[in-house]
Amino acid sequence: MTTPVHAGYAALLGRPNVGKSTLINRLLGQKLSIIAPKPQTTRHVILGIQTLPDAQIVYVDTPGLHRQGQRAMNRYLNRAAASVIGYVDAVIFLIEALRWTDEDQDVLHRLADFTGPVVLAVNKVDRIADKSRLLPFLQEIAAKRNFTEVTPLSALKGDNVAELEQAIARLLPVQDFLFPEDQLTTASERFLAAELIREKLTRLLREELPYALTVEIEQFVEEERLVRIHALIWVERDSQKGIVIGEKGATLREVGRQARQDLERMLDRKVYLETWVKVREGWSDDERALRSLGYADPS
Ligand SMILES: Nc1nc2c(ncn2[C@@H]2O[C@H](COP(=O)(O)OP(=O)(O)OP(=O)(O)O)[C@@H](O)[C@H]2O)c(=O)[nH]1
Ligand SMILES: [Mg+2]
């Protein structure tokens, strides 16, 4: 008789910027989700599949649950993140060490009806100089709910991440694998290409501008020796277009250069990337525009 295997979905949930995407990439040992030092970087639910000898963990990265912002985009992000609670087998609730905010409290509240296991992952412990402050914090937060585990970790450095993986694997139902063993994600290369370009824009542009832009892949053609990608960068106002392009095109050129490097690594092929910046007035507060730009409600 073969030993039983565990398989199931484990969602990463938390407020923006706590390190959910950094953690999923660390757990997978690959870059799947985009990362930036700004809130609301992740805008889509993304599945990352980790197949171990005796378990298959389907990690679900989600947009940060948040309060601020009234646009249709904010509502979409919160809906997308909250919707996963309905189908996952386990939740990794991510917070930052030594910090508990109203938005963390909101996430905890949303998890009240979830009957599966919830693991509290306390991230960014590498930033704490005085480690003796951690234990009282963990005790204080652990008292807020009956967590299955409480795991302090550093997604950035990798500390304690293997332990988290082991804990999650054990918590998943005993059932056959859900995906082929060699599958890493359900996301298409086309989608991941748009995300990588948006990551570079988010990192290179200041303040509010990342929230006003989105990337649409107009063409993704695989040729024998290269992949030809045409990307549209949508902004909300004419003035933003100039900022994205930059002086004599410098900003857009740098975005293209960095994105192409990442794309060539991901696709393992030469990439020919062309980008255009276009204006679609007020798209981020327009439900219809959101849908047509790929922000479709999860069903
Ligand atoms: N020092 C430190 N920084 C971290 C750690 N994990 C993530 N970060 C940083 O925190 C910032 C946000 O990381 P993300 O992974 O994009 O956070 P997120 O929770 O996915 O954010 P949203 O997608 O906006 O909800 C980035 O600057 C990361 O480098 C960690 O363990 N230690
Ligand atoms: Mg993220």
Side-chain angles (χ1 to χ4, degrees):
M1 230 179 74
T2 52
T3 44
V5 297
H6 295 260
Y9 293 84
L12 289 137
L13 284 169
R15 68 173 161 80
N17 216 41
V18 290
K20 299 176 293 299
S21 300
T22 306
L23 181 59
I24 195 174
N25 289 351
R26 174 65 70 176
L27 285 158
L28 295 171
Q30 288 198 45
K31 174 157 180 174
L32 173 67
S33 236
I34 65 167
I35 295 166
K38 292 177 185 150
Q40 296 167 39
T41 299
T42 301
R43 292 182 182 167
H44 301 271
V45 169
I46 301 173
L47 304 193
I49 305 158
Q50 174 77 303
T51 303
L52 306 165
D54 54 358
Q56 185 174 66
I57 311 172
V58 185
Y59 293 108
V60 185
D61 192 13
T62 63
L65 287 159
H66 61 285
R67 279 185 182 180
Q68 80 283 13
Q70 301 299 317
R71 298 164 308 151
M73 174 61 101
N74 297 104
R75 293 193 295 275
Y76 168 82
L77 295 174
N78 281 325
R79 273 202 309 271
S83 71
V84 309
I85 298 172
Y87 68 84
V88 296
D89 301 289
V91 166
I92 302 165
F93 172 24
L94 206 62
I95 65 170
E96 274 181 31
L98 305 189
R99 204 174 282 176
W100 179 262
T101 71
D102 290 346
E103 286 185 326
D104 293 316
Q105 185 65 43
D106 289 351
V107 181
L108 184 71
H109 187 71
R110 280 187 191 265
L111 289 171
D113 295 333
F114 181 71
T115 53
V118 177
V119 172
L120 178 71
V122 182
N123 192 27
K124 308 196 184 182
V125 294
D126 57 283
R127 291 203 302 203
I128 305 170
D130 178 5
K131 300 282 186 228
S132 70
R133 294 175 62 202
L134 193 56
L135 189 60
F137 176 79
L138 295 179
Q139 284 170 337
E140 182 196 327
I141 308 302
K144 293 181 188 288
R145 177 188 170 119
N146 191 3
F147 293 108
T148 313
E149 307 254 350
V150 177
T151 309
L153 54 84
S154 167
L156 191 68
K157 308 272 182 207
D159 301 340
N160 234 8
V161 171
E163 287 76 2
L164 176 71
E165 178 183 273
Q166 284 308 307
I168 297 297
R170 284 193 305 269
L171 293 172
L172 296 179
V174 173
Q175 60 176 337
D176 287 339
F177 289 173
L178 303 164
F179 293 92
E181 291 183 24
D182 58 356
Q183 189 171 347
L184 174 74
T185 183
T186 54
S188 66
E189 288 179 336
R190 200 183 170 106
F191 167 81
L192 295 172
E195 287 287 275
L196 280 177
I197 297 165
R198 193 165 60 78
E199 179 184 70
K200 305 313 169 204
L201 289 160
T202 304
R203 290 185 181 182
L204 286 165
L205 295 167
R206 284 169 177 280
E207 283 141 34
E208 295 305 305
L209 200 47
Y211 305 112
L213 58 83
T214 189
V215 177
E216 186 180 23
I217 302 295
E218 212 184 20
Q219 213 187 88
F220 188 104
V221 184
E222 297 185 50
E223 297 175 7
E224 204 174 327
R225 313 185 73 134
L226 61 80
V227 183
R228 195 177 293 276
I229 301 172
H230 291 189
L232 290 180
I233 299 162
W234 290 102
V235 292
E236 302 206 292
R237 287 195 299 276
D238 226 30
S239 58
Q240 294 166 339
K241 193 171 156 173
I243 303 173
V244 172
I245 293 168
E247 205 167 327
K248 294 189 182 131
T251 308
L252 195 56
R253 214 166 27 250
E254 184 58 16
V255 166
R257 192 187 67 79
Q258 292 186 17
R260 200 176 55 244
Q261 265 181 6
D262 276 23
L263 286 165
E264 289 186 340
R265 201 173 310 134
M266 177 178 91
L267 300 167
D268 205 16
R269 207 119 34 107
K270 275 256 167 267
V271 166
Y272 175 82
L273 174 64
E274 260 186 45
T275 49
W276 283 274
V277 187
K278 286 195 169 185
V279 181
R280 182 149 173 183
E281 205 85 29
W283 67 267
S284 76
D285 198 20
D286 175 345
E287 303 272 358
R288 265 186 60 187
L290 281 177
R291 277 195 298 278
S292 82
L293 290 167
Y295 300 93
D297 260 311
S299 48

